[in-house]
Amino acid sequence: MAAIELDGIVRRFGDTTAVAEVSLTTERNEFLVLLGPSGCGKTTLLRMIAGLLEPSEGRILVDGQDVTTLPPRERDLAMVFQNYALYPHLTVERNLGFGLSVRKTGKQEIRRRVEEVAELLDLGHLLRRRPKELSGGQRQRVALGRAMVREPRAFLMDEPLSNLDAKLRAGTRTRLISLHRRLDTTFVYVTHDQIDAMTMATKVAVLNQGRIEQFGTPVEIYDEPASAFVAGFMGAPPMNLLPAELGAGYDDEVVVRAPGVEVALPLRAGADPGIRDVLLGVRPEHLVPVPADHDGPVLRGRVDIVENLGNEEIAQIEIGDLRVNVRGSRPIRLGPGDITTLAVRPEHIHLFARQSGRRLSWESAPVPALVS
Ligand SMILES: Nc1ncnc2c1ncn2[C@@H]1O[C@H](COP(=O)(O)OP(=O)(O)O)[C@@H](O)[C@H]1O
Ligand SMILES: [Mg+2]
């Protein structure tokens, strides 16, 4: 049985359509991440699942039960917000147990649940403290723990890590992953951060303007983005997208021509023959500097900036009016002003229809590339 099912969900605010026709199903124990840029409708969707907001259209089912019109407290879901508010005058222990005491749970049972959650989140030594005596990360864990003492049917989290610094984010991610592994519960996690999605999710729904662009595992979303939007959203830096044209090559090959770019790529004619205007997509880590006479698909350009990240370097290459990023282990052996040739393996080339942004499927030709 599906843990959470969204069936044709629409939400309008006056003239604004915040969520436009979202349908998706999560299995029990899934870590579902709703990923997308600010304003794409993530919070609106989560608030509808929680019962804090009614959909304009559509149905929401939890464990097979239609909860579309049920008030939040009857849905048995726990929500953790971006701006978690702890009770400042209560100790960590009382903060954790608060939801249970409101529900008239017995004292013994509250203590048992609080101790269990404190142990899971490594808060045992902090139970006597008040929120102002905690670090940001510890406060965040108390907020999570407060949701967890209830053993809900699912956890709903809205950007819960966004107030943490990079190191704490990484640590809390690890904790959430192991938490998810230990609890037999569904997580629905909203974020604009693609690293959150890559590291924690079992399934990702990428949202754009209130619609799902792609629904799949993190690996599927990264390796086979369904649209130029998804390709340009995942990865840091994201996939390079170059306007190009499809033309006929020898035999049944298709050649990709990019104006101002010295590149021709062989494709088995799997791409829609009606489409000429495409976006050629290559991830920064799939471009490799090679000698100028390299035999295979290449891009040629001039190195502008090289950024040193410690373990890796990112070079920005100017190709005509365009710019691509190249990422590699340090030293990447590219310097500002160099004219460089960058090879890409055919299987690392993505094509998208320029107009619709949809992915075009094609098969890599077995023969080596033609270089024009
Ligand atoms: N209560 C509201 N009234 C009017 N417009 C809203 C309201 N809540 C959200 N919106 C609009 O709906 C869209 C989606 O918002 P939201 O769900 O908060 O996006 P996200 O969480 O992805 O940043 C935005 O255009 C936002 O301005
Ligand atoms: Mg939001």
Side-chain angles (χ1 to χ4, degrees), residues 206-208 211-215 220-234 239-241 279 281 283 350-360:
V206 183
L207 291 169
N208 180 22
R211 285 180 202 281
I212 296 182
E213 287 269 332
Q214 187 169 7
F215 183 51
E220 285 164 354
I221 299 231
Y222 192 85
D223 289 351
E224 282 195 36
S227 66
F229 175 84
V230 176
F233 197 74
M234 298 298 286
M239 186 183 286
N240 297 301
L241 293 167
L279 291 170
R283 290 214 175 271
H350 305 257
L351 290 178
F352 305 95
R354 214 184 306 168
Q355 192 119 46
S356 67
R358 301 316 296 173
R359 179 185 192 82
L360 300 175

Side-chain angles (χ1 to χ4, degrees), residues 13 16-19 36-45 53 158-159 190:
F13 294 105
T16 313
T17 303
V19 173
S38 176
C40 72
K42 306 179 296 291
T43 295
T44 304
L45 200 51
L53 195 65
D158 193 350
E159 314 241 9
V190 158

